[in-house]
Amino acid sequence: MKFVNKNYYELLDIEPRATEEQVRRAYRQVRTTWNPDSIAIYSLYTPEESAAIRHKIEEAYQVLSDPQRRANYDRYLSMSVRGPTVVRTPEAFWDLVHGFMKVERQVELMQNVSELLNETPEAEVMLEQLVMEGTSGGTHSIEVMVREERPETNRLSPQARGQAPGPNPALARVMEKRTQPQVRERREGMPSAPAAPPIPPPPAPERLSSASWTPAASPRDVREGTAVPRATAQELAARTPVSRGETVAEGAPSANSRKSPPSSPNVQPGPGNGLTGTAPSGDVRVSGAQRSAAVPLPSGPVPGGVGHAGAGNHGAGHGAGVPGTAAHPPSAPSNSVTPARAEVRAEPPRSEPVRTEKRAPAAAMPTGRAEEAARAVRSGVERAGAENALRLDPVKPTEAPRAAAASASSQTAIPSPSPDASISQSGATGGWTRSYATSFKPTRPLPERAISPEQLAELESRNGMGGKYLKALREFKGVTLADIAERTKIQTTYLKYMEEDRFGELPPAVYVEGFVNQVARLLKLDVKHTVAGYMRHYQNVTSGRNRSDDPV
Amino acid sequence: MGASAGADIPVEQVGSGVSSPLLSKNPLLGKKSEGGTPELWAIASGKGGVGRSFLTANLGCIMARDVGPVTLLDVDFGGGNLHTFLGVSGATDANAHDGLGAFLRAYHQGRQTSLDALARGLEVPGMKLVSGVGTMQERLSSPVRGQLVKALSTLKSPRVLMDLESGGGEPVLELFSAAQRPLLVVLPEPAAVEDAHSFIRRWYLRSLQVLAAQQGISKTLFLKATQEESLPLRPASLMSRLGTLKPGIEAELTRHMASRTLYLVLNQVRHASDVSVGIALKRAVQSFFGIRVRFVGAVRYDADAWLSTRRRRLRVREGSSDALNHDLMQLIQNVITEQECEGPD
């Protein structure tokens, strides 16, 4: 299998059930294989290719060695390899991009309910539905599903349990839990949803046409289990729960995803966006609302552990506090390693924008709002990386939402924001949605001052190629740290540390390289040269340090 | 799975006479193969001098002693010396009635002959040898090879160890491909590894060409596709190019090649860290070629092996050869049970 298609476990050649020690051990062994001096590879791969592979392996280890991030990644991976049960429509992806529901709330819901419902594959489907439906009849929908859908195989159905038909006790507990204060508060802040419509009969199995999705990587290997050793849902659920600070950009559509799937998707899977194209076939379960089709998640590694790459630039101007999370990752899954007459690409990985086509608005979506939303998606998604999709941080109240508002009565509309844009963690979901749906508008245009090769060489000779060089370049071009942070989503603090060579305060090298990559790209520099020079400087400075996170 | 090299006998204790628990009867190894077509083990290497024939001879001895009857076949036409390691005379005799020399004579004379009839019994019970004495390389033509492969099925031993010529010539690759257990012997040093890569690349290409032919791509088209690729050949790139010749073939070929297994044996391991070379090589080859590689053996360097060879005696039957016995026993076990050597932590 090509490296581009390998998930993190495959990269380290371990099972998903591997213990932390096994992960560390595998990492040490794999590092030995791809060591620059390794005689095992020197006549197979070029130095650039093996460097790219090492980069991917670092990425894999960073995620799998962190229990929280690994848990997120496992959950995400399990959704992608679950098989044909859930199919997502492009509209659902649209909703994900808008981020209508606070992602970490999704995770929390899934966690709680999954514990109760024994995490069968069907339960996962229902959890997803719960998440999708949010507070508006979702549980009702789930109950219907429990009762009516595949009762012979659904462990949750009363029939499967040999019980008389009736409410599922686990679901009853979920419903009760939802009435608890903290949950109610959130729910009350959310726009009121219409009553659950009559349940239509399940539609025929639906498959995204290959013409609609251009697979970046075939999900078949993933589905057929040839690519991924499957962990059971229980094993994955046994992992550390996701904390508040960690979010998962599950491909869950909005609370108002009761839409008919559009005839063609507007989002083209491509490098970096994590979409692997053809959705798995299978039944699309519908209850109360049209179930959205799931975008199969990338089998390739997703930096940060979870989420669609390019699945959404959730919120403008976020500077997430988690290393490497607010910024574009050093590499998007299918981007950093692509076969160029080989299985890996020699160049340093970079995130490429997700290409989105202009989407015809959904039937009930007001035209003006749809266009604005489309613009929002295009501009937002173009800066999305997998990490962005994972980490949703509250939008600062100063960033007023400007996204389209939709009437609550419309089943297909985006939830309407409250006028004062009450955006907070416990506030309106509309706050989250609006923050994402807002089109990104920088506070000022980026200066376009060009630099000649001679001037560049002079800066290099004067400052070396470390932080001073970056700072000098930036100042020459009249670009501020805020300009860069705004556009790249790298924290201003990190940018400052990079310029001050304060490497101990920065995330691991793999992320620093990604940061430099983005900065160089933004400043219209020779990316390869700049990254190589800076990382050389980085290695020289840090080589003498005792890195406590080094497993060897 | 599988013990790391020296797990029971540390490297520094080689020759100390420490016995290994693995030398005791193992239920898996005690089970002898049932009748039918013998299981072919082909032992090849990318370059000469890696200890291929030494390993084949000693492996055969342990196999005959602990697993079941085995026939050794020296297919190194014109350069075979498997008989030397076994203490069999190498003097050519126009009237010799055994060995591949006799087989070739019979073939050229249009006579049918059974290879089993040409196998010579050895002092090790259950072990036979079809020597390569009396053969010349230029006579191993394609028809001869075909006849030889057919004749292999007439051998009565449940297992046949074929000592192949070094390098990746067509005769070697054909027999290597015909084996159910293709073993590649490598030393943990750059030149041997590089030649192993070359061997695997040639074997891969040959296998791919055969598969492509079965899928409707002629040899001519295949060769054209390979020639259009810049060197060194990249399997992924070649697959893509073949995919342009026939839609859908890329996935099919990838799937077939992924089911191919190569058994890697690291010889003359001097340090525990050398085992890491074997593991690294396995990973690298798997990743690059998309085939399955099992790292089944890490055979420790034996400083006294040359003495046995000089005396034309099997090393495993000499004193102070516990380490070699252990390592070869482990190798056999790993191959049969599809387990692998583990590296140092």
Side-chain angles (χ1 to χ4, degrees):
Chain A
M1 182 192 295
K2 298 176 185 176
F3 275 97
V4 66
N5 293 334
K6 290 189 177 183
N7 63 42
Y8 288 155
Y9 292 103
E10 287 160 344
L11 280 173
L12 298 187
D13 200 14
I14 52 175
E15 299 277 321
R17 302 171 194 78
T19 62
E20 286 183 27
E21 179 51 37
Q22 287 170 332
V23 170
R24 272 193 291 274
R25 186 162 179 265
Y27 170 66
R28 283 196 295 270
Q29 289 189 345
V30 170
R31 264 200 339 184
T32 306
T33 300
W34 301 104
N35 188 286
D37 298 328
S38 171
I39 63 172
I41 60 168
Y42 87 102
S43 66
L44 290 179
Y45 295 97
T46 64
E48 292 78 16
E49 288 168 341
S50 57
I53 295 170
R54 282 196 295 279
H55 190 96
K56 298 295 290 182
I57 288 164
E58 283 293 324
E59 193 178 286
Y61 178 70
Q62 294 297 333
V63 171
L64 297 184
S65 60
D66 182 330
Q68 294 281 5
R69 296 170 71 186
R70 183 177 175 182
N72 287 346
Y73 183 70
D74 287 343
R75 193 172 287 110
Y76 207 65
L77 204 60
S78 72
M79 299 294 283
S80 69
V81 301
R82 186 169 48 212
T85 307
V86 176
V87 178
R88 288 194 180 276
T89 63
E91 195 159 13
F93 175 76
W94 176 266
D95 293 336
L96 168 71
V97 164
H98 280 273
F100 289 122
M101 176 176 265
K102 182 180 168 186
V103 170
E104 62 180 89
R105 175 65 185 143
Q106 296 175 25
V107 172
E108 184 186 348
L109 281 174
M110 286 177 70
Q111 253 184 298
N112 291 334
V113 181
S114 68
E115 284 167 13
L116 294 172
L117 298 183
N118 287 328
E119 288 229 8
T120 60
E122 292 83 358
E124 282 197 48
V125 167
M126 287 184 280
L127 290 179
E128 193 173 45
Q129 189 66 29
L130 172 67
V131 166
M132 286 156 45
E133 298 293 340
T135 58
S136 51
T139 310
H140 169 73
S141 304
I142 289 173
E143 282 187 301
V144 168
M145 278 191 280
V146 171
R147 268 204 310 279
E148 295 184 358
E149 295 183 3
R150 298 196 291 179
E152 68 285 356
T153 57
N154 191 336
R155 272 195 236 166
L156 298 173
S157 71
Q159 293 90 318
R161 295 175 178 219
Q163 300 164 2
N168 181 282
L171 280 175
R173 287 198 294 275
V174 171
M175 291 182 73
E176 187 185 348
K177 193 178 173 72
R178 284 157 50 80
T179 62
Q180 288 171 3
Q182 63 273 25
V183 180
R184 192 170 58 239
E185 185 184 4
R186 286 203 184 93
R187 291 182 56 207
E188 285 169 359
M190 292 177 184
S192 59
I199 300 159
E206 175 178 350
R207 177 195 275 272
L208 293 174
S209 68
S210 58
S212 307
W213 298 94
T214 304
S218 168
R220 192 192 302 170
D221 286 342
V222 171
R223 290 205 310 283
E224 288 177 350
T226 55
V228 179
R230 297 188 190 210
T232 64
Q234 257 177 334
E235 287 164 347
L236 294 173
R239 302 215 190 279
T240 309
V242 173
S243 70
R244 277 273 170 207
E246 305 282 328
T247 56
V248 175
E250 271 307 338
S254 70
N256 294 311
S257 59
R258 305 175 187 213
K259 317 175 194 181
S260 307
S263 56
S264 63
N266 65 309
V267 179
Q268 175 113 1
N273 67 359
L275 297 176
T276 55
T278 311
S281 61
D283 294 339
V284 176
R285 303 297 182 200
V286 176
S287 66
Q290 187 77 2
R291 169 104 48 104
S292 300
V295 170
L297 299 175
S299 60
V302 175
V306 194
H308 285 297
N313 181 14
H314 292 280
H318 285 171
V322 183
T325 58
H328 295 291
S331 62
S334 56
N335 209 24
S336 61
V337 181
T338 54
R341 302 188 305 111
E343 292 182 289
V344 297
R345 192 170 78 185
E347 292 178 10
R350 56 180 179 226
S351 300
E352 289 188 14
V354 173
R355 296 180 191 80
T356 62
E357 298 166 6
K358 187 171 169 61
R359 171 187 183 233
M365 190 183 293
T367 306
R369 287 196 285 272
E371 285 175 357
E372 194 170 346
R375 266 204 306 281
V377 169
R378 272 201 301 279
S379 57
V381 170
E382 276 172 3
R383 276 176 301 284
E387 287 280 340
N388 276 345
L390 307 179
R391 322 277 178 203
L392 275 190
D393 291 296
V395 176
K396 295 181 177 39
T398 53
E399 298 181 32
R402 292 187 287 274
S407 68
S409 60
S410 166
Q411 289 191 355
T412 60
I414 302 168
S416 86
S418 55
D420 63 351
S422 54
I423 303 159
S424 67
Q425 283 193 349
S426 58
T429 302
W432 297 100
T433 68
R434 289 197 305 280
S435 68
Y436 179 76
T438 300
S439 59
F440 171 68
K441 288 184 184 174
T443 49
R444 66 170 196 144
L446 200 65
E448 291 286 338
R449 187 179 177 193
I451 185 169
S452 67
E454 294 77 20
Q455 288 168 318
L456 205 61
E458 194 199 335
L459 282 177
E460 264 184 50
S461 63
R462 203 192 305 163
N463 301 298
M465 288 201 74
K468 281 187 192 166
Y469 172 72
L470 284 185
K471 183 174 181 181
L473 269 172
R474 177 179 61 74
E475 287 174 349
F476 179 90
K477 286 181 169 271
V479 176
T480 64
L481 288 179
D483 290 331
I484 299 178
E486 208 172 30
R487 288 162 174 79
T488 64
K489 302 297 174 279
I490 304 172
Q491 287 186 59
T492 314
T493 320
Y494 286 154
L495 292 169
K496 190 160 161 292
Y497 290 159
M498 281 162 60
E499 291 187 351
E500 293 171 0
D501 286 354
R502 288 165 66 175
F503 300 130
E505 322 263 358
L506 287 169
V510 62
Y511 294 104
V512 173
E513 191 173 333
F515 296 165
V516 178
N517 191 300
Q518 291 177 71
V519 170
R521 195 177 299 281
L522 187 71
L523 297 180
K524 295 187 171 55
L525 304 171
D526 180 340
V527 174
K528 196 172 174 180
H529 176 70
T530 309
V531 170
Y534 188 90
M535 294 314 293
R536 233 180 353 258
H537 173 77
Y538 177 97
Q539 297 294 343
N540 289 339
V541 171
T542 59
S543 58
R545 294 186 190 179
N546 179 23
R547 297 193 61 124
S548 59
D549 60 350
D550 192 326
V552 175
Chain B
M1 300 290 285
S4 58
D8 296 300
I9 304 178
V11 174
E12 57 272 17
Q13 288 184 26
V14 166
S16 68
V18 175
S19 64
S20 163
L22 281 176
L23 289 175
S24 59
K25 280 296 179 188
N26 183 313
L28 277 172
L29 296 180
K31 184 180 176 184
K32 297 186 180 178
S33 301
E34 301 299 329
T37 308
E39 185 181 65
L40 299 180
W41 293 41
I43 294 97
S45 64
K47 66 191 284 284
V50 300
R52 193 184 56 258
S53 300
F54 172 86
L55 284 180
T56 306
N58 287 279
L59 203 63
C61 177
I62 293 192
M63 198 174 273
R65 188 184 67 197
D66 290 318
V67 182
V70 62
T71 300
L72 273 60
L73 187 68
D74 190 350
V75 202
D76 189 352
F77 274 34
N81 48 23
L82 193 58
H83 55 281
T84 303
F85 290 94
L86 296 167
V88 174
S89 170
T92 56
D93 182 352
N95 295 321
H97 297 294
D98 58 27
L100 285 180
F103 176 83
L104 284 177
R105 278 197 303 278
Y107 171 79
H108 288 297
Q109 291 165 7
R111 290 185 287 112
Q112 294 285 337
T113 183
S114 160
L115 263 185
D116 203 62
L118 303 177
R120 177 190 296 201
L122 300 171
E123 63 181 22
V124 176
M127 189 171 167
K128 290 185 181 177
L129 170 68
V130 179
S131 75
V133 175
T135 62
M136 292 177 68
Q137 193 169 12
E138 57 268 27
R139 290 197 181 171
L140 193 58
S141 60
S142 181
V144 171
R145 291 198 302 274
Q147 200 64 26
L148 181 61
V149 171
K150 275 190 206 169
L152 288 173
S153 60
T154 64
L155 289 168
K156 294 197 173 111
S157 301
R159 286 186 181 84
V160 174
L161 300 188
M162 292 191 292
D163 182 20
L164 300 181
E165 182 187 343
S166 63
E170 177 58 25
V172 172
L173 295 178
E174 187 170 329
L175 293 171
F176 195 71
S177 300
Q180 288 87 3
R181 309 285 193 185
L183 277 70
L184 186 68
V185 180
V186 187
L187 298 184
E189 53 95 11
V193 168
E194 191 167 13
D195 285 346
H197 287 160
S198 298
F199 179 94
I200 296 169
R201 192 178 268 118
R202 280 193 284 271
W203 173 66
Y204 178 91
L205 278 177
R206 186 188 183 278
S207 303
L208 194 66
Q209 187 256 307
V210 168
L211 279 173
Q214 291 169 2
Q215 301 288 332
I217 294 184
S218 67
K219 188 174 178 180
T220 310
L221 275 179
F222 183 89
L223 288 176
K224 186 169 179 295
T226 57
Q227 282 155 8
E228 284 169 358
E229 286 288 314
S230 50
L231 296 174
L233 213 62
R234 305 261 179 194
S237 177
L238 177 59
M239 286 288 198
S240 298
R241 192 176 289 275
L242 293 175
T244 62
L245 296 177
K246 184 177 178 184
I249 199 176
E250 187 176 348
E252 196 64 21
L253 291 177
T254 303
R255 195 172 57 81
H256 277 292
M257 291 309 297
S259 65
R260 295 290 169 112
T261 303
L262 177 73
Y263 297 92
L264 187 66
V265 177
L266 200 64
N267 195 19
Q268 298 184 22
V269 170
R270 294 171 192 259
H271 192 272
S273 61
D274 285 346
V275 180
S276 303
V277 173
I279 294 173
L281 185 56
K282 165 205 147 91
R283 286 185 206 276
V285 170
Q286 276 189 161
S287 298
F288 190 83
F289 291 100
I291 60 174
R292 193 187 307 156
V293 179
R294 295 253 189 270
F295 176 37
V296 292
V299 182
R300 277 167 287 184
Y301 175 75
D302 187 344
D304 296 330
W306 68 278
L307 281 173
S308 302
T309 304
R310 176 171 284 188
R311 291 198 293 261
R312 294 189 291 137
R313 293 184 59 80
L314 282 166
R315 177 71 184 123
V316 289
R317 301 187 86 199
E318 306 271 81
S320 69
S321 65
D322 288 345
L324 183 65
N325 272 275
H326 170 279
D327 294 343
L328 293 182
M329 176 82 76
Q330 189 68 61
L331 190 162
I332 294 170
Q333 182 175 358
N334 286 347
V335 172
I336 291 174
T337 60
E338 296 280 338
Q339 295 182 341
E340 297 190 68
C341 291
E342 291 179 353
D345 289 340

